[in-house]
Amino acid sequence: MKTTNNTVLITGGSAGIGFEIAKLFVSGGNKVIITGRNKERLEQASKQLDNVVAIPFDVTDAHQVEQLVKRLNDEFPELNVVVNNAGKAALHNLSESTNNFEIASEEILTNYLSVIRLNEQLLPLLKRQKEAAIVNVSSVVAFAPSAIMSTYAASKSALHSYTQSLRLALSRDTSVKVFELMPPLVNTDFSKEIGGENGISPELVAEDLLNAFKNEQYEIHVGATAQISALSRKSPQEALMAMNQSFLNK
């Protein structure tokens, strides 16, 4: 998959991993479109990047999805890369929280169902390109869930399964490649509540994605994700314990 002269859509591109991916694509000579729900933060991000179009957008809003898809078809008919990075997560304990259903509903909609809807509506455009790619950003918790982010982990497990099926389906008769970016704990505002300062930098995650494009590595185990993935194949129980060591020691 080429890393230059692409037109790239990045949802959740105003901060964290999405912003670093946008920065790398821009520096590589690509046209980049970033979206985000926070208009002010989106505008601040776009000022730090060249050759970027910033579009306020909520992936969970069906009407906004229709509007975005129409605009992309009209203004960016060469769009060939979609990075589904927008996400939602909440810390909660299943044995104590009284709003597990509400939290899970928001996470499943944002992290899973909205990805399916946007991909489905953009696929006709992507299929018209000579070379195209979809990148779904999941997580290490797709391999071993976290007790303090259990429903978030479930949404990312669903995304992992869907991504594998989508890759297989599109490999038969299209040029659309499907990548899955699977970071561990990353030092971003998004992960501040769960000790994100102990995580890897978002720049490293973005660099791994670009390297995966060059090498056509479709499932990208960033940092400690590689170890958890290997452990989950050997012993799912050991992987679960490793992922939740700090929770169990409290």
Side-chain angles (χ1 to χ4, degrees), residues 32-95:
V32 176
I33 306 144
I34 58 172
T35 75
R37 289 185 293 186
N38 188 314
K39 186 177 179 180
E40 182 178 331
R41 190 165 65 177
L42 193 64
E43 289 174 350
Q44 290 174 351
S46 67
K47 289 175 183 176
Q48 300 176 59
L49 302 168
D50 297 320
N51 199 28
V52 162
V53 176
I55 303 175
F57 170 66
D58 182 351
V59 295
T60 68
D61 186 311
H63 179 62
Q64 289 189 41
V65 172
E66 290 179 4
Q67 289 181 315
L68 177 68
V69 170
K70 184 179 186 307
R71 180 172 176 180
L72 292 171
N73 275 276
D74 291 345
E75 299 180 22
F76 306 97
E78 75 284 6
L79 179 77
N80 70 319
V81 177
V82 175
V83 181
N84 291 297
N85 173 68
K88 189 173 184 65
L91 287 177
H92 62 117
N93 187 324
L94 291 175
S95 72

Side-chain angles (χ1 to χ4, degrees), residues 14 64 132 171 180 227 234:
S14 63
Q64 289 189 41
S171 69
E180 183 176 5
Q227 287 75 49
K234 174 189 171 188

